Amino acid sequence: MSSNQSSDSVPTREVARRVFAREFNDASYTFKESDDERAPLYLLLPTGERANRVLVVGTLTETEDVGDESEYWRGRIVDPTGTFFVYAGQYQPEAANTLRDLETPAYVSIVGKPRTYETDDGTVNVSLRPESITAVDAGTRDRWVAETAQQTLERIQHLDDEGNEYGRMAKEQYDLPPDEYRTTALSALESLDESDSSPDTPTQSTESVSDPQ
Amino acid sequence: MSPIEKQRGGSETMSELRTHAEEIAEQFSDHLEITVDDVESQLENLVTQYKVPANEARRSVINNYLDEAGLDRDEISQGGASEILVNDIDEDEQWVDLTVKLVDLWEPGSDAISQVGLIGDESGTIKFVSFATSELPKLEEGAVYKLGNVVTDEYQGNYSVKLNRTTTITELDEEIEVGDNSASVEGALVDIQSGSGLIKRCPQEECTRVLQNGRCSEHGSVDGEFDLRIKAVLDDGVTVHEIIFNRERTEELTGLTLEEAKTMAMDALDTSVVADEIRGDLLGRYYRVTGPTYGRYILANEFEQLGAPADLESILIKARSM
């Protein structure tokens, strides 16, 4: 019978947002929605959405151990709009193993959390701390590009909606014209349309996906 | 928020008191011989003579009637029971009306329970319990009833309804096509939760609880039986769904049989290798899953992996038109 019972009785899992590298790397503002030390940290996307988790599918083009004493793997994942940087160390042992073992180039699917850090000259870099990295096929990658384009366009469409709290926040925090993201989403879609060569992947695949070992 | 706000002000109009009175009279209609006028005059007395806020007055009047009827507060409806479909029940302790068919009667586990089983409407099915103390007439399998004033109950994300002393039962002369709570969802498989892979279940009859460190929460240390299952999260970028794949579906999805999984675990001296293998096979890929909902889970009956998008053209048209 208390004031706000309906929604939050069971802690809900954070949704993995779909965002292209271009927009992801433009983001810099992070925030929490409560004072609780363990409250989730959100990255504010320029198209007006909060992201505590993202799903990225792209081409892993390079991996490098950039650690000093212990292994710390950096991977570059390329999508039609830019490059995601992913870092995995001792606290992400499975992801670190995968980065060490994968042969590049390879299509990979990454579920992870956005992390920001400020460089000495004051610019904010955004990277991805992986929860999982798996090798996937071209069909999965194409599906992600189409889905990400679609969801990016939907965010832009609702950016100015009354009551879109994160839309308002994005306009306050960023001086970034949303039309650029519309253009990049459109060209990402067009790149799929041109390369329509990838054959329809069969449904229900078990072994078709390449295994890193 | 608004009803409470509204009543905070001291000047309650007569029509609002009348509404309270009607609701209270309705709540006690099966228990006491009271009229709306009786209730209203009591409320009015408290509110105008004794300057009691309307909410407090309502509470106090209800308490008096509860005493008079020898009832507990949770045995009467809190007012405003609403007609709802069983698959839309998603909150604990709500008073609702249902029109349902009795699908199945189960063996009551204790003398306190008069009847237990499954009722359903076109949206799906839900468990119901009728307690001996409520002294309700027995329901019959296959019959259709309008059940007024049942209360919802939640246990670990699963909902049921309890019949109680105030529940009204009306047998209806109609047929209901009972649905199967089926849902179909799509998304990327973003997580495989703990309790997936090779697990052990309690061997006690009708228990089948999953063991934690060789212990059943009900039967203690037992010699468990191996099983395979996957608890996965499908995420479409907007919402998440939790999916359970049982042994057959897990074998189908991963190509790994229970016997192979046991061998793998024995070779590694560790059951977690099975879940690790499954993670590598499934995470980050797209699936469509169809099956009945069970609490917050969807039980996968059918599934398929989704490849390259099919309707690129329509997305492109939309993007270009923006």
Side-chain angles (χ1 to χ4, degrees):
Chain A
M1 294 300 238
S2 71
S3 53
N4 58 342
Q5 76 256 66
S6 55
S7 54
D8 293 291
S9 51
V10 180
T12 46
R13 183 189 163 88
E14 293 287 341
V15 167
R17 304 289 177 196
R18 315 299 203 252
V19 54
F20 284 123
R22 171 71 187 277
E23 182 182 356
F24 186 77
N25 291 327
D26 280 350
S28 56
Y29 180 72
T30 57
F31 63 99
K32 288 185 171 193
E33 301 215 315
S34 90
D35 294 335
D36 189 337
E37 206 179 306
R38 294 166 63 185
L41 182 72
Y42 297 100
L43 178 69
L44 180 66
L45 302 181
T47 53
E49 186 56 270
R50 55 175 195 177
N52 168 266
R53 173 179 281 128
V54 296
L55 172 75
V56 166
V57 186
T59 313
L60 180 70
T61 57
E62 258 178 64
T63 56
E64 189 185 351
D65 179 5
V66 294
D68 293 331
E69 284 131 42
S70 60
E71 284 183 40
Y72 196 57
W73 284 87
R74 180 177 66 195
R76 297 172 65 104
I77 291 101
V78 174
D79 79 0
T81 73
T83 304
F84 291 97
F85 288 90
V86 44
Y87 289 89
Q90 56 178 325
Y91 298 112
Q92 300 83 34
E94 282 165 32
N97 284 344
T98 309
L99 287 176
R100 187 194 309 109
D101 295 344
L102 274 179
E103 295 269 351
T104 57
Y107 286 127
V108 292
S109 182
I110 298 180
V111 181
K113 304 259 183 175
R115 284 291 173 266
T116 55
Y117 63 95
E118 207 173 321
T119 58
D120 293 340
D121 64 6
T123 57
V124 175
N125 286 342
V126 192
S127 65
L128 203 49
R129 195 190 68 195
E131 294 175 312
S132 69
I133 304 180
T134 43
V136 295
D137 58 10
T140 302
R141 181 267 185 186
D142 288 357
R143 187 170 202 92
W144 180 84
V145 172
E147 182 184 61
T148 302
Q150 200 169 10
Q151 296 193 7
T152 302
L153 293 169
E154 271 160 26
R155 289 198 296 270
I156 296 169
Q157 229 168 6
H158 294 110
L159 188 60
D160 295 317
D161 284 7
E162 203 180 329
N164 182 354
E165 195 184 333
Y166 306 108
R168 189 177 45 75
M169 208 189 266
K171 279 180 278 181
E172 280 166 17
Q173 296 297 333
Y174 300 124
D175 186 21
L176 298 163
D179 203 50
E180 293 210 8
Y181 303 116
R182 191 189 68 84
T183 314
T184 47
L186 185 58
S187 49
L189 279 175
E190 281 164 346
S191 72
L192 279 188
D193 205 25
E194 288 152 17
S195 72
D196 226 351
S197 53
S198 61
D200 259 342
T201 42
T203 56
Q204 168 53 338
S205 84
T206 49
E207 278 113 353
S208 67
V209 168
S210 68
D211 193 51
Q213 274 83 21
Chain B
M1 52 188 112
S2 56
I4 298 165
E5 298 277 306
K6 230 186 290 165
Q7 287 154 14
R8 213 169 269 161
S11 61
E12 197 74 23
T13 68
M14 296 306 277
S15 75
E16 274 170 295
L17 282 189
R18 182 81 190 172
T19 309
H20 283 305
E22 281 164 0
E23 285 173 9
I24 294 168
E26 170 65 28
Q27 285 175 335
F28 286 94
S29 59
D30 292 341
H31 307 284
L32 294 172
E33 292 294 317
I34 51 172
T35 67
V36 177
D37 288 338
D38 294 339
V39 183
E40 192 182 7
S41 71
Q42 287 207 37
L43 286 170
E44 204 184 316
N45 185 39
L46 284 165
V47 171
T48 55
Q49 288 292 120
Y50 294 94
K51 311 293 177 207
V52 175
N55 268 351
E56 266 312 301
R58 178 187 174 123
R59 188 191 163 78
S60 152
V61 168
I62 289 175
N63 278 343
N64 284 341
Y65 285 132
L66 284 172
D67 281 349
E68 222 173 291
L71 292 170
D72 282 333
R73 181 164 275 271
D74 62 4
E75 287 180 288
I76 60 149
S77 121
Q78 304 300 304
S82 57
E83 177 90 32
I84 190 172
L85 292 172
V86 299
N87 207 27
D88 293 336
I89 291 174
D90 57 2
E91 240 184 291
D92 196 9
E93 283 186 48
Q94 298 298 299
W95 292 82
V96 297
D97 298 343
L98 302 170
T99 302
V100 287
K101 180 174 175 172
L102 180 54
V103 179
D104 199 11
L105 277 176
W106 304 332
E107 204 59 45
S110 93
D111 290 345
I113 293 172
S114 155
Q115 284 188 302
V116 57
L118 209 58
I119 51 178
D121 58 24
E122 55 270 33
S123 75
T125 54
I126 194 166
K127 177 184 160 184
F128 84 97
V129 184
S130 175
F131 294 95
T133 51
S134 306
E135 296 172 341
L136 290 169
K138 298 260 187 187
L139 307 181
E140 281 173 36
E141 251 175 41
V144 171
Y145 299 95
K146 182 170 169 64
L147 303 177
N149 246 3
V150 301
V151 64
T152 64
D153 192 42
E154 186 253 18
Y155 178 68
Q156 295 188 344
N158 300 316
Y159 291 94
S160 61
V161 293
K162 294 188 293 194
L163 278 51
N164 58 80
R165 239 197 278 189
T166 70
T167 299
T168 55
I169 300 174
T170 318
E171 186 166 350
L172 302 178
D173 187 20
E174 57 184 71
E175 185 50 35
I176 289 182
E177 191 76 37
V178 176
D180 64 357
N181 308 50
S182 190
S184 187
V185 296
E186 282 184 23
L189 202 155
V190 295
D191 196 16
I192 288 179
Q193 300 175 321
S194 63
S196 297
L198 190 61
I199 55 165
K200 276 192 163 183
R201 292 188 185 276
C202 178
Q204 294 280 325
E205 212 170 316
E206 310 231 326
C207 179
T208 74
R209 281 182 179 78
V210 174
L211 306 185
Q212 308 287 340
N213 300 321
R215 287 185 65 84
C216 169
S217 61
E218 185 69 27
H219 301 104
S221 242
V222 289
D223 201 8
E225 289 167 357
F226 278 116
D227 196 7
L228 261 187
R229 73 155 176 201
I230 297 171
K231 290 164 75 180
V233 178
L234 274 198
D235 180 323
D236 65 5
V238 182
T239 51
V240 294
H241 295 280
E242 289 172 275
I243 317 283
I244 292 181
F245 295 89
N246 67 10
R247 185 173 90 212
E248 289 76 16
R249 295 291 97 77
T250 299
E251 291 181 341
E252 225 175 283
L253 181 62
T254 61
L256 187 68
T257 65
L258 177 60
E259 289 311 313
E260 287 164 349
K262 283 201 271 195
T263 310
M264 273 175 67
M266 251 182 278
D267 288 349
L269 299 173
D270 185 359
T271 54
S272 70
V273 294
V274 177
D276 291 345
E277 170 92 3
I278 291 173
R279 280 193 180 88
D281 284 346
L282 306 184
L283 281 174
R285 285 146 193 138
Y286 289 87
Y287 295 90
R288 178 187 299 121
V289 172
T290 307
T293 56
Y294 183 71
R296 56 182 225 253
Y297 292 102
I298 297 172
L299 303 181
N301 265 351
E302 292 167 41
F303 62 86
E304 61 173 321
Q305 193 183 346
L306 302 173
D311 55 347
L312 206 51
E313 214 40 52
S314 68
I315 310 172
L316 263 172
I317 290 166
K318 188 187 166 202
R320 288 185 179 127
S321 69
M322 269 176 72

